[in-house]
């Protein structure tokens, strides 16, 4: 009966139509209404992280904020109660959190309001599983599902001495273990060694314990905490140490107890309004603690049903918890069950590099052993156990989201944790990375995306756009740079960081509430002069996601990778760039991913249903596992090409002597197989090519740094490739380059313009039975999408193989199929084309030269702060100034505009047609048209010719064909640009406050704003040629 009632309840809910038909299907080819390439649905649009200071905010303003996000082009928001991020005793909160804290009735009412706003605007909503990072909920302080920790106390005993009495720390927690051992060495150190691969170095005092002397004497401790021990005298060393280690609740808060805060606080009346505790992240019980609170206090009285309509993801941010050692109550039992020995003797070793920011020790001393690996094998076993237990936590939340809410779950898996990140990425529906911690590094993204793609996940999300020191200063050109690099690394969904509540809030000044005390970008929203123009960039992002969430990603190579550390902050793993220069794409997978259903070899291909890797790369310094080695042997014997780069690995990351013998013997035996190759570390691309493996997209004749990202969509019978010219280290306007790319596809090529939504056939390429070669020119940090649609057998294949650079456009007239239209500009040489039948045809050129526009009138709309800085409801105090500009220059060189932020309205005019050319509006053979070309711009760019809006413009290299907008005689061009708020805020930076706190970073430096560079009219003549 209960199942029937639930089924009827679900059927009564009408979820947003773009969500998956099976709401909990996280895999590629899930049936969703993604809209169209020109008009993507909300399901593939970017979202904003919506920061709510606390539940006291004005509900109507929150509703307007959601509607504003839709108008800006977003598909929804990620609802996050900020609560001072890491609120701690002594912090000032301008409202009473006993009333307005997270999880209170006031929070639930606000949460419902925001969810209904999504429903009213036909948007989708994510929500955090608690305040700020989503890592805790209100609870009774002694619940077993809250965060655990272990604390260590120790005492030294002389060699030959004894210890009789109460063990140190007695009474400060539940006794976990008492361990003794002989100290043989003490030294200061700062190097990385001895550490597990990918750990971070730190300055410390390092002491060595003789492994043979370590003893677990816990059973000898009396009920009163006393113990009696005598120690040997006939040993060489410094002293003995006794360690007493206790299990404790960490007591870490996700939101402070209101009674400990400054401001208008009142005593809590129950645990519900007494702040939030961090839950245990290494047990299903920790997850269940969060679930229980949601089900009892938040998902009642219609809220659950509301989420089943608009809910997209339940979600957790980066794991920013701060124990001495990542721990859970049942870890020792899980450890013994997995490895067959007790962790107790080696607990002292865990008190370094096994907590947040694990480059710095929580204790001033690193304890190691005199084992050959300094005891790291025990740390590796601990971390492996911890990884399993974290997987249980994630799995519990994922299953609950699917089963109870009929929605999916997302999290930033393993962020900050000392574990194999890649193991648990497949555990959840939508794993999320972050541009900040991954430093926008494409190689680092590949470490995250590999396991997700191997598991067939449709979505790999990114918290995108946070940059230190850029609050109110980030440009949309820069934000789209983050997006392009992310897509190049196989990331395909974006949650922009961030969107603060835009209304008045206590002790907070204009322009708005600012998270992280103004330390990170960005505070998107209505106070930004660009807000009305965001839709161009968000539409661009949505179209990229529309394409790159479809089908299945394909990669050339798989890198084996097994780290017991989270690799964020560390950037790229493969530091050479020969693979990318040759065009090889690759991703990383862990041996802990080898049990995924898709991780099998068919012929010579690994994961044929997903990435279809053509070979695996294993390096000499890689860490091995027993199970992973057994699977590698299966792969090699099935025919997968394996390249051991720089030699064969030998290190087993586990305390397992027989296992070490097995992996070394097995790996050594594989080198006798004909498909297994030991190659030098350097020149890996040459080694890969030498065994006959070619890139899916091979570069030649290129003078820049180019990336491709490939997806195959069987539903559309097409291959898609992002092509990106990366100019990361070039200044704005620099880094333009060109390349010839040979794609492993013989489909009909098209170019998809993600700025306009246009799809156009390409006619200039060379093709073989299996490949298509295309020459491309891209501005610095510009990208394009190429599609190769499967051919029908009857399709004609006549096309061009070469065209002169000053042929600006090629289109095909039908019928006849061999008639082409060319837009020919002026050039030093006569323009020519070469056909697919190898005929060369010379075209008449145009005598009309490009014309750079000048004599601009600028109306600068100043966005100034209100006289009362607390009036956040005021978007800006605006006034205009007018400036005559012979040429385009930075506002820094225009008197009165140096400290100005706002909008720039530029106007100029030009005559058309060019001298001695008749005006024509039919654009037939011999008629004259024009392109309008802009230099790269810093932020937003909109243009209007004769009051008609031009299509959206790519700020990295904007151009538009304006033939259809031209009139005879005077043509008026209007251009609108916007700025960030940094320049106007630089003068009042010291007066700004958010929740009463001044900016934590220095005032913005004055930046170049305005329409800069040049705007050029490039005339062309239309020539129609029959190439048949």
């Amino acid at each position: 009966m209960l199942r029937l009632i639930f089924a009827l309840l679900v059927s009564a809910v009408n979820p947003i139509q773009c969500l998956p038909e099976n709401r909990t299907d996280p895999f590629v080819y899930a049936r969703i209404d993604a809209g169209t390439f020109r008009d993507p649905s909300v399901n593939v649009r970017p979202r904003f992280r919506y920061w709510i200071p606390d539940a006291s905010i004005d509900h109507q303003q929150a509703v307007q904020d959601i509607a504003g996000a839709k108008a800006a082009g977003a598909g929804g928001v990620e609802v996050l109660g900020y609560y001072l991020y890491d609120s701690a005793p002594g912090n000032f909160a301008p409202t009473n959190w006993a009333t307005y804290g997270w999880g209170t009735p006031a929070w639930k009412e606000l949460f419902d309001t925001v969810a209904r706003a999504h429903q009213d605007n036909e948007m989708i909503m994510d929500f955090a599983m608690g305040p700020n990072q989503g890592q805790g909920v209100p609870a009774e302080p002694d619940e077993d599902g809250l965060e655990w920790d272990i604390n260590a106390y120790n005492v030294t005993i002389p060699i030959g001495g004894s210890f009789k009495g109460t063990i140190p720390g007695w009474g400060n927690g539940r006794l976990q273990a008492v361990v003794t051992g002989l100290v043989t060495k003490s030294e200061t150190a700062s190097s990385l060694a001895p550490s597990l691969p990918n750990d971070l170095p730190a300055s410390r005092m390092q002491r060595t314990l003789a492994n043979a002397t370590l003893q677990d004497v816990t059973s000898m401790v009396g009920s009163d905490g006393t113990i009696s021990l005598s120690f040997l005298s006939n040993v060489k060393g410094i002293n003995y140490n006794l360690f007493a280690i206790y299990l404790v609740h960490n007591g870490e808060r996700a939101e402070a107890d209101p009674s400990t805060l400054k401001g208008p606080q009142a005593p809590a009346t129950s645990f519900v309004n007494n702040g939030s505790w961090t839950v245990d992240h290494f047990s299903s019980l920790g997850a269940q603690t969060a679930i229980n609170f949601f089900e009892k206090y938040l998902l009642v009285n219609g809220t659950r049903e509301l989420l089943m309509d608009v809910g997209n993801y339940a979600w957790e941010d980066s794991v920013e918890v701060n124990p001495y050692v990542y721990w859970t109550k049942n870890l020792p039992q899980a450890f013994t069950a997995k490895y067959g020995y007790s962790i107790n003797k080696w607990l002292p070793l865990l008190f370094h590099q096994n907590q947040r920011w694990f480059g710095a020790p929580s204790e001033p001393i690193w304890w190691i052993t005199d084992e050959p690996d300094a005891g790291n094998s025990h740390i590796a076993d601990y971390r492996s156990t911890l990884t399993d237990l974290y997987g249980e936590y994630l799995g519990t939340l994922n299953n609950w989201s699917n089963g109870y809410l009929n929605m999916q779950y997302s999290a930033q898996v393993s962020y900050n944790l000392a574990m194999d990140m890649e193991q648990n990425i497949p555990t959840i529906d939508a794993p999320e990375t972050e541009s900040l911690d991954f430093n926008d590094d494409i190689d680092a993204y590949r470490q995250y995306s590999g396991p997700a793609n191997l598991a067939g996940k449709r979505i790999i999300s990114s918290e995108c756009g946070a940059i230190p020191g850029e609050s109110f200063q980030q440009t949309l050109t820069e934000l789209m740079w983050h997006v392009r690099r992310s897509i190049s690394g196989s990331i395909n969904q974006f949650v922009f960081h961030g969107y603060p509540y835009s209304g008045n809030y206590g002790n907070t000044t204009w322009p708005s509430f600012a998270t992280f005390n103004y330390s990170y970008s960005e505070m998107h929203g209505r106070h930004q002069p660009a807000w009305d123009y965001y839709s161009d960039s968000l539409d661009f992002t949505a179209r990229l996601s529309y394409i790159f969430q479809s089908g299945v990603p394909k990669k050339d190579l798989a890198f084996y990778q097994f780290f017991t550390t989270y690799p964020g902050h560390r950037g790229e793993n493969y530091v050479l760039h020969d693979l990318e220069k040759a065009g090889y794409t690759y991703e990383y997978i862990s041996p802990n991913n080898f049990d995924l259903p898709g991780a099998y070899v068919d012929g010579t291909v690994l994961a044929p249903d997903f990435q279809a890797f053509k070979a695996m790369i294993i390096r000499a310094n890689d860490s091995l596992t027993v199970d992973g080695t057994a699977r590698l042997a299966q792969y090699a014997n099935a025919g997968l090409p394996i390249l051991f780069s720089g030699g064969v690995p030998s290190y087993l990351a586990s305390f397992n002597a027989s296992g070490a013998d097995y992996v070394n013997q097995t790996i050594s035996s594989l080198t006798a197989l004909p498909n297994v190759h030991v190659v030098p570390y350097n020149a890996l691309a040459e080694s890969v090519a030498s065994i006959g493996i070619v890139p899916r997209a091979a570069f030649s004749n290129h003078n820049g740094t180019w990336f491709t990202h490939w997806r195959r969509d069987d539903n559309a019978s097409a291959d898609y490739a992002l092509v990106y010219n990366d100019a990361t280290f070039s200044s704005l306007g620099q880094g333009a380059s060109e390349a010839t790319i040979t794609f492993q596809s013989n489909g009909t090529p098209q170019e998809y313009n993600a700025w306009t939504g246009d799809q156009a056939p390409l006619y200039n390429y060379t093709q073989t039975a299996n490949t298509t070669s295309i020459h491309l020119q891209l501005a610095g940090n510009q990208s394009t999408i190429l599609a190769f649609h499967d051919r029908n057998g009857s399709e004609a294949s006549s096309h061009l193989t070469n065209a002169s650079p000053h042929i600006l456009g090629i289109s095909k007239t039908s019928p006849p199929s061999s008639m082409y239209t060319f837009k020919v500009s002026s050039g030093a040489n006569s323009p020519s084309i070469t056909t697919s039948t190898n005929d060369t045809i010379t075209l008449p050129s145009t005598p009309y030269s490009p014309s750079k526009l000048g004599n601009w009138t600028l109306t600068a709309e100043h966005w100034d702060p209100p006289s009362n800085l607390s009036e956040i409801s005021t978007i800006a105090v605006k006034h205009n100034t007018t400036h005559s500009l012979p040429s385009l220059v930075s506002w820094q060189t225009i008197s009165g505009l140096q400290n100005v932020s706002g909008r720039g309205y530029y106007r100029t005019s030009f005559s058309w047609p060019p001298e001695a050319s008749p005006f024509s509006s039919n654009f037939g053979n011999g008629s004259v048209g024009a392109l309008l070309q802009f230099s790269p711009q810093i932020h937003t760019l909109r243009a209007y010719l004769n009051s008609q809006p031009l299509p959206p413009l790519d700020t990295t290299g904007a151009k538009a064909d304006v033939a259809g907008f031209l009139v005879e005689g005077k043509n008026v061009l209007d251009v609108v640009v916007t700025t960030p708020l940094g320049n106007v805020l630089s003068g009042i930076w010291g007066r700004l406050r958010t929740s009463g706190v001044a900016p934590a970073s220095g005032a913005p430096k004055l930046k170049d704003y305005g329409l800069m560079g040049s705007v050029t009219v490039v005339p062309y003549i239309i020539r129609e040629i029959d190439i048949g």
Side-chain angles (χ1 to χ4, degrees):
M1 177 60 71
L2 289 176
R3 290 185 179 180
L4 176 60
I5 293 172
F6 180 72
L8 292 172
L9 180 62
V10 172
S11 67
V13 174
N14 297 307
I16 302 299
Q17 292 304 304
C18 62
L19 288 166
E21 290 184 20
N22 176 358
R23 292 280 298 278
T24 59
D25 182 358
F27 298 111
V28 294
Y29 294 118
R31 297 182 63 183
I32 66 168
D33 175 10
T36 64
F37 179 67
R38 184 174 292 279
D39 185 18
S41 78
V42 296
N43 197 51
V44 298
R45 288 188 168 274
R47 296 185 293 283
F48 287 109
R49 175 172 294 183
Y50 184 51
W51 287 307
I52 297 173
D54 61 42
S56 70
I57 67 169
D58 180 74
H59 286 212
Q60 187 56 42
Q61 184 59 60
V63 169
Q64 293 173 12
D65 285 348
I66 302 308
K70 180 177 183 178
V77 306
E78 182 180 84
V79 178
L80 186 151
Y82 184 71
Y83 289 91
L84 297 179
Y85 170 59
D86 55 356
S87 56
N91 288 165
F92 179 87
T95 66
N96 178 13
W97 284 6
T99 299
Y100 298 113
W102 191 94
T104 61
W107 172 261
K108 180 188 180 303
E109 184 180 354
L110 173 62
F111 187 84
D112 290 353
T113 297
V114 173
R116 281 193 294 270
H118 280 79
Q119 189 178 54
D120 294 341
N121 286 281
E122 297 186 317
M123 301 167 76
I124 59 177
M125 186 180 98
D126 304 338
F127 66 92
M129 289 295 296
N132 57 76
Q133 310 305 104
Q135 283 153 16
V137 293
E140 298 289 1
D142 58 351
E143 285 193 33
D144 273 1
L146 299 183
E147 182 183 8
W148 293 97
D149 200 354
I150 51 174
N151 292 341
Y153 300 81
N154 73 90
V155 63
T156 61
I157 301 115
I159 290 174
S162 61
F163 180 91
K164 296 181 180 179
T166 303
I167 59 175
W170 179 253
N172 290 313
R174 188 183 312 173
L175 184 63
Q176 187 77 53
V178 177
V179 179
T180 62
L182 175 66
V183 181
T184 59
K185 190 176 182 179
S186 181
E187 60 186 329
T188 57
S190 59
S191 63
L192 177 60
S195 294
L196 287 163
N198 209 45
D199 272 339
L200 290 174
S203 298
R204 74 273 185 184
M205 174 63 68
Q206 183 169 287
R207 290 181 179 164
T208 303
L209 295 165
N211 189 61
T213 69
L214 290 176
Q215 293 189 58
D216 176 4
V217 296
T218 311
S219 62
M220 299 174 63
V221 178
S223 60
D224 58 355
T226 61
I227 195 171
S228 178
L229 299 169
S230 297
F231 295 89
L232 297 175
S233 58
N234 58 341
V235 295
K236 291 183 178 181
I238 299 174
N239 56 258
Y240 280 93
N241 243 66
L242 181 147
F243 302 88
I245 298 159
Y246 298 89
L247 174 69
V248 297
H249 271 307
N250 179 273
E252 185 172 0
R253 288 278 194 167
E255 176 203 331
D257 168 0
S259 69
T260 67
L261 297 171
K262 297 179 180 178
Q265 307 303 319
T269 56
S270 74
F271 76 84
V272 174
N273 65 347
N274 193 35
S276 294
W277 301 92
T278 302
V279 300
D280 180 6
H281 278 57
F282 308 108
S283 72
S284 58
L285 184 58
Q288 194 62 49
T289 299
I291 290 168
N292 291 345
F293 184 85
F294 266 86
E295 291 187 3
K296 186 172 182 180
Y297 295 99
L298 296 179
L299 302 178
V300 294
N301 299 325
T303 303
R304 178 188 181 193
E305 291 75 23
L306 185 58
L307 282 181
M308 293 172 76
D309 184 13
V310 302
N312 185 47
Y313 298 135
W315 165 84
E316 182 175 347
D317 198 0
S318 48
V319 185
E320 300 185 14
V321 299
N322 297 282
Y324 281 112
V325 178
Y326 292 124
W327 198 258
T328 187
K329 182 179 178 181
N330 295 321
L331 189 143
Q333 294 87 339
F335 183 98
T336 301
K338 182 169 185 175
Y339 289 106
Y341 71 99
S342 171
I343 187 61
N344 279 8
K345 283 202 301 184
W346 291 278
L347 285 176
L349 278 60
L350 302 185
F351 284 85
H352 67 269
Q353 295 188 308
N354 292 304
Q355 64 285 114
R356 187 182 175 196
W357 316 123
F358 47 89
S362 57
E363 293 292 314
I365 299 172
W366 283 21
W367 296 95
I368 64 173
T369 70
D370 58 2
E371 295 169 278
D373 69 347
N376 280 312
S377 59
H378 308 293
I379 298 176
D381 288 346
Y382 150 79
R383 291 180 179 177
S384 180
T385 305
L386 193 74
T387 307
D388 293 345
L389 296 172
Y390 178 55
E392 293 181 9
Y393 168 84
L394 292 174
T396 301
L397 287 170
N398 201 90
N399 292 339
W400 171 75
S401 300
N402 293 172
Y404 191 77
L405 290 174
N406 196 34
M407 59 191 293
Q408 295 186 26
Y409 180 70
S410 180
Q412 294 186 4
V413 177
S414 298
Y415 191 127
N416 289 319
L417 300 180
M419 59 177 59
D420 174 19
M421 170 190 73
E422 295 170 340
Q423 176 178 323
N424 282 319
I425 287 172
T427 304
I428 65 171
D429 295 321
E432 183 172 271
T433 180
E434 181 194 70
S435 63
L436 172 67
D437 203 50
F438 279 69
N439 200 31
D440 296 289
D441 192 291
I442 293 171
D443 182 274
Y445 286 142
R446 289 164 168 166
Q447 298 172 50
Y448 199 88
S449 60
N453 286 329
L454 185 61
K457 301 297 183 180
R458 185 176 66 87
I459 295 297
I460 307 172
S461 184
S462 174
E463 174 195 341
C464 185
I467 294 291
E470 283 201 3
S471 183
F472 294 106
Q473 301 166 67
Q474 187 176 63
T475 69
L476 287 177
T477 297
E478 177 189 353
L479 186 59
M480 294 305 99
W481 172 83
H482 293 288
V483 168
R484 289 178 172 106
R485 285 184 68 86
S486 299
I487 293 280
S488 299
S490 207
I491 310 304
N492 61 7
Q493 175 183 271
F494 298 93
V495 180
F496 289 134
H497 183 281
Y499 182 24
Y501 166 71
S502 71
N504 290 343
Y505 184 67
N507 294 67
T508 297
T509 59
W510 186 89
S512 73
F513 175 76
T515 55
F516 306 102
N517 303 337
Y518 304 88
S519 291
Y520 291 91
S521 59
E522 180 54 284
M523 304 300 123
H524 302 291
R526 64 192 178 101
H527 293 86
Q528 292 281 358
W531 188 238
D532 292 339
Y533 302 89
Y534 266 54
S535 60
D536 290 351
S537 294
L538 268 63
D539 286 350
F540 168 77
T541 305
R543 293 185 184 112
L544 287 174
S545 292
Y546 174 89
I547 293 296
F548 295 105
Q549 290 179 19
S550 69
V552 177
K554 298 295 179 182
K555 300 295 174 183
D556 297 315
L557 306 171
F559 269 91
Y560 175 103
Q561 177 174 278
F562 178 55
F563 290 145
T564 59
T565 60
Y566 166 79
H569 298 301
R570 287 149 183 74
E572 59 188 359
N573 184 356
Y574 183 67
V575 297
L576 304 180
H577 299 283
D578 58 324
L579 292 175
E580 65 193 33
K581 287 179 181 178
Y584 289 105
T585 58
Y586 60 87
E587 288 180 342
Y588 296 85
I589 56 175
S590 164
N592 290 321
N593 303 137
F594 289 171
D595 286 334
L596 290 169
Y600 69 93
V601 172
D602 184 8
T604 61
V605 174
L606 173 62
D609 301 324
F610 300 115
Q611 294 102 316
F613 298 116
K614 303 172 186 177
M616 179 176 285
I617 312 299
I618 306 173
R619 290 159 293 179
N621 62 349
D622 276 321
S623 301
L624 301 171
T625 69
V626 172
D627 291 343
T629 299
R631 188 56 65 91
L632 286 175
Q634 292 179 18
Y635 293 160
N637 284 300
L640 176 69
I642 293 178
L643 289 84
F644 289 112
S645 174
V648 296
S650 60
Y651 178 62
L652 176 68
S654 181
F655 181 60
N656 184 343
S658 61
D661 291 339
Y662 167 77
V663 298
N664 281 287
Q665 291 170 8
T666 302
I667 293 295
S668 178
S669 69
L670 296 183
T671 61
L673 296 174
N675 54 304
V676 177
H677 312 272
V678 181
V679 302
Y681 174 72
N682 291 313
L684 181 57
E686 293 182 12
S687 297
V688 173
S690 71
I691 62 172
I693 295 174
V694 297
R696 283 187 171 83
F699 299 125
S700 60
N701 304 321
H702 70 297
N703 56 356
T705 301
W706 291 57
F707 294 91
T708 62
H709 173 54
W710 188 294
R711 287 185 85 96
R712 170 66 190 178
D713 187 352
D714 286 336
N715 288 343
S717 299
D719 297 309
Y720 300 111
L722 176 86
V723 182
Y724 168 55
N725 172 31
D726 183 55
T728 297
F729 301 107
S730 300
S731 57
L732 182 70
Q734 303 299 310
S737 65
E738 55 188 290
T740 299
I741 310 177
T742 299
F743 298 91
Q744 297 295 307
S745 174
N746 66 349
T748 302
Q750 292 189 357
E751 186 170 22
Y752 284 29
N753 186 327
W755 286 96
T756 64
D758 293 337
Q759 302 166 231
L762 286 175
Y763 297 112
N764 185 11
Y765 57 92
T766 59
Q767 203 159 55
T768 69
N770 300 307
T771 67
T772 303
S773 295
I774 300 173
H775 188 78
L776 292 173
Q777 295 176 312
L778 292 175
N781 293 319
Q782 191 174 38
S783 63
T784 191
I785 301 170
L786 299 182
F788 300 91
H789 292 269
D790 295 352
R791 291 185 182 275
N792 297 320
S794 60
E795 280 189 285
S797 60
S798 64
H799 59 274
L800 308 178
T801 60
N802 188 47
S804 298
H806 44 294
I807 296 178
L808 304 180
I810 305 171
S811 58
K812 199 171 188 179
T813 305
S814 181
S817 62
S818 59
M819 182 66 75
Y820 283 78
T821 299
F822 300 91
K823 297 175 181 179
V824 185
S825 68
S826 62
N829 301 310
S830 296
S832 64
I833 58 172
T834 303
T835 71
S836 55
T837 56
N838 210 31
D839 295 322
T840 299
I841 302 173
T842 300
L843 282 65
S845 63
T846 176
Y848 312 118
S849 299
S851 174
K852 185 182 296 184
L853 300 180
N855 298 318
W856 295 84
T857 298
L858 164 62
T859 301
E861 183 180 87
H862 301 231
W863 284 42
D864 294 327
S867 57
N868 179 359
L869 282 180
S870 297
E871 286 298 321
I872 299 173
S873 57
T874 301
I875 293 178
V877 175
K878 303 175 186 178
H879 73 279
N880 294 343
T881 58
T882 303
H883 310 265
S884 296
L885 306 176
S887 60
L888 297 173
V889 293
S890 166
W891 288 10
Q892 289 303 304
T893 66
I894 301 174
S895 178
L897 296 187
Q898 288 84 357
N899 288 82
V900 171
S901 296
R903 295 174 178 172
Y905 298 89
Y906 290 78
R907 170 170 285 191
T908 190
S909 62
F910 60 92
S911 294
W912 191 262
E915 187 178 352
S917 171
F919 178 76
S920 173
S921 60
N922 63 10
F923 305 111
N925 191 35
S927 63
V928 181
L931 293 186
L932 200 61
Q933 292 185 340
F934 296 79
S935 295
Q937 301 299 318
I938 63 167
H939 199 25
T940 66
L941 179 65
R942 289 265 181 96
Y944 306 80
L945 186 55
N946 300 317
S947 300
Q948 299 299 310
L950 299 186
L953 298 167
D954 178 355
T955 56
T956 63
K959 61 183 179 181
D961 191 328
V962 296
F965 300 82
L966 294 165
V967 298
E968 186 172 12
K970 182 179 180 180
N971 287 260
V972 178
L973 176 65
D974 291 290
V975 180
V976 183
V977 298
T978 65
T979 80
L981 286 172
N983 283 4
V984 72
L985 293 179
S986 64
I988 61 169
W989 196 250
R991 297 170 57 197
L992 301 184
R993 295 293 184 272
T994 183
S995 297
V997 179
S1001 58
K1005 296 180 180 180
L1006 296 180
K1007 301 288 182 63
D1008 289 323
Y1009 290 166
L1011 179 64
M1012 293 184 292
S1014 62
V1015 181
T1016 304
V1017 178
V1018 183
Y1020 62 75
I1021 289 182
I1022 292 177
R1023 304 297 185 188
E1024 294 181 351
I1025 304 291
D1026 187 343
I1027 70 170

